[in-house]
Amino acid sequence: MRGRRGAAPADGTSAEYEAQAQRAFDALDPRWVAPDRAASLDVGLVRPVLALGSLAVLVALFVLAHRVQETEAAVSAALARAAGLSDAHHLGSVVLFSVQGNWTGYQVTLGCTVAFLIVPFFAGTAVLVSIRRVPVLRALAGLTTAITTVVAFNQLRLLTIALGMATWGPDAGYSYTHVFVGTTISTFGVVLAGVAYLGVLLRGTFTRAGAHHE
């Protein structure tokens, strides 16, 4: 909440009035002034910590790559069961299920995980936060939106592969869904994540710019 100054009195100069108003404003009890939450997150070590944290996650994605693969395989198996493949389960980074009485499945390799797909978003956030181009909360919101979108579409791709193998057989189903449909889903997911990321970061930018010139 900010005070609004009125017109300068007729018997005083503008400079004198401004000085008096500033002294009155400075004398206000700090408890009466609403804090700027966004600004409070923009001070101290918040930005350096967020930037270094983003870089640390990038390193962890590759150092702990097997954990990422196993986690995505576990989620993929759970989604496959929910979609009708009742015996689907995972062993490490491998998702297994039966098709016509025979066990089959696929392995979630490092190239099939979200690790490489989310690298640009973590790197971009680290840079933007470091050079103070966007507010911290907006950077976090954009990063969260992008990662959620990429993860969701990657899991949709894996589910499509599983259902394709169950429908057309292991060989044909894997070939069709992995090469054609899977690639399309991944590409669309990354593009959508990029659009959402930029949309969150730029939200209100053009509106404020337009208001500045009115």
Side-chain angles (χ1 to χ4, degrees):
M1 183 181 298
R2 297 179 181 274
R4 186 175 65 180
R5 300 169 182 171
D11 58 350
T13 65
S14 176
E16 292 173 347
Y17 176 75
E18 289 289 335
Q20 293 173 2
Q22 185 61 51
R23 286 195 295 271
F25 185 78
D26 292 339
L28 286 176
D29 190 321
R31 292 173 297 178
W32 299 347
V33 182
D36 187 341
R37 182 167 297 179
S40 66
L41 291 175
D42 243 357
V43 299
L45 297 176
V46 174
R47 283 183 178 272
V49 168
L50 180 57
L52 291 176
S54 297
L55 295 176
V57 171
L58 287 179
V59 174
L61 284 173
F62 298 100
V63 174
L64 303 175
H66 63 288
R67 296 295 185 188
V68 177
Q69 293 170 240
E70 292 174 359
T71 300
E72 291 203 59
V75 175
S76 180
L79 292 177
R81 288 194 298 272
L85 302 178
S86 58
D87 57 359
H89 62 281
H90 79 100
L91 292 175
S93 61
V94 178
V95 178
L96 296 172
F97 50 89
S98 62
V99 176
Q100 298 177 350
N102 297 316
W103 286 99
T104 186
Y106 52 86
Q107 182 178 15
V108 181
T109 63
L110 181 59
C112 290
T113 67
V114 298
F116 290 105
L117 301 178
I118 63 178
V119 164
F121 300 107
F122 274 105
T125 299
V127 171
L128 291 174
V129 169
S130 298
I131 63 177
R132 308 181 70 86
R133 296 299 298 175
V134 294
V136 171
L137 284 179
R138 191 177 300 173
L140 286 174
L143 180 60
T144 301
T145 301
I147 292 175
T148 301
T149 303
V150 172
V151 170
F153 273 87
N154 198 55
Q155 284 297 326
L156 177 61
R157 180 178 69 89
L158 295 175
L159 179 60
T160 300
I161 292 173
L163 295 179
M165 294 173 69
T167 302
W168 296 300
D171 294 331
Y174 182 83
S175 178
Y176 295 154
T177 55
H178 183 267
V179 176
F180 300 108
V181 181
T183 301
T184 301
I185 292 175
S186 294
T187 302
F188 181 76
V190 172
V191 171
L192 183 61
V195 172
Y197 182 70
L198 292 176
V200 173
L201 294 184
L202 299 177
R203 184 179 57 192
T205 299
F206 298 107
T207 301
R208 290 195 301 270
H212 178 74
H213 294 292
E214 289 179 355

